[in-house]
Amino acid sequence: MDKTNNLSTVKEHDLVITHLTGNISVDDVNHWYDDFISVCQPLLDNGQKFKLLVNRLPYQAEHFNVQKTWREKFFNDSLLKQCNAIAFVIESGDVMSHLKETYTSEKVQFFNDYSEAHQWITNFTAS
């Protein structure tokens, strides 16, 4: 497992790309979220719709509280309501299968390949 963390968020036109990868601690999630929300806040304040690419591969939680902390911070109604589409890059397996079954909206997709996710989200057109 690559121990190098990538806790970054950038905005490119109507696309926000965020990375939360590596060996992650609760402090890392808090640091990531502060950066993430600072990029998203102007969009939220202006009511601007945007697309979101969330890269979490490779990802290893230092403790079970890491995932809980991430979910509590990330799954914010006002944030998610302003997303035209969301692409998640996560590890294949039971979690991905469960998420694909749970989130059946065409605007939420799960990938195990960053390039595929980036291509899908870039080409996504809101109906």
Side-chain angles (χ1 to χ4, degrees), residues 61-106:
E62 183 178 90
H63 187 270
F64 70 89
N65 280 334
V66 171
Q67 185 66 9
K68 180 179 181 278
T69 301
W70 180 78
R71 273 194 318 266
E72 288 170 355
K73 289 183 175 293
F74 181 76
F75 289 98
N76 169 325
D77 282 343
S78 63
L79 174 75
L80 298 178
K81 284 180 184 175
Q82 282 184 236
C83 291
N84 282 327
I86 305 172
F88 289 96
V89 183
I90 61 173
E91 189 174 319
S92 292
D94 292 341
V95 172
M96 181 187 274
S97 296
H98 172 74
L99 291 170
K100 282 182 172 182
E101 290 171 10
T102 304
Y103 296 96
T104 57
S105 169
E106 68 178 29

Side-chain angles (χ1 to χ4, degrees), residues 16-38:
V16 173
I17 301 171
T18 191
H19 301 273
L20 180 60
T21 65
N23 189 18
I24 306 297
S25 68
V26 169
D27 286 344
D28 292 330
V29 173
N30 290 326
H31 173 76
W32 162 83
Y33 185 75
D34 290 344
D35 183 47
F36 172 70
I37 207 65
S38 73

Side-chain angles (χ1 to χ4, degrees), residues 8-12 15-19 36 39 51-55 114 118 121:
S8 65
T9 303
V10 296
K11 180 183 169 294
E12 298 175 356
L15 175 60
V16 173
I17 301 171
T18 191
H19 301 273
F36 172 70
V39 171
K51 297 184 280 190
L52 180 58
L53 173 56
V54 180
N55 181 21
Y114 182 86
H118 192 274
I121 198 83

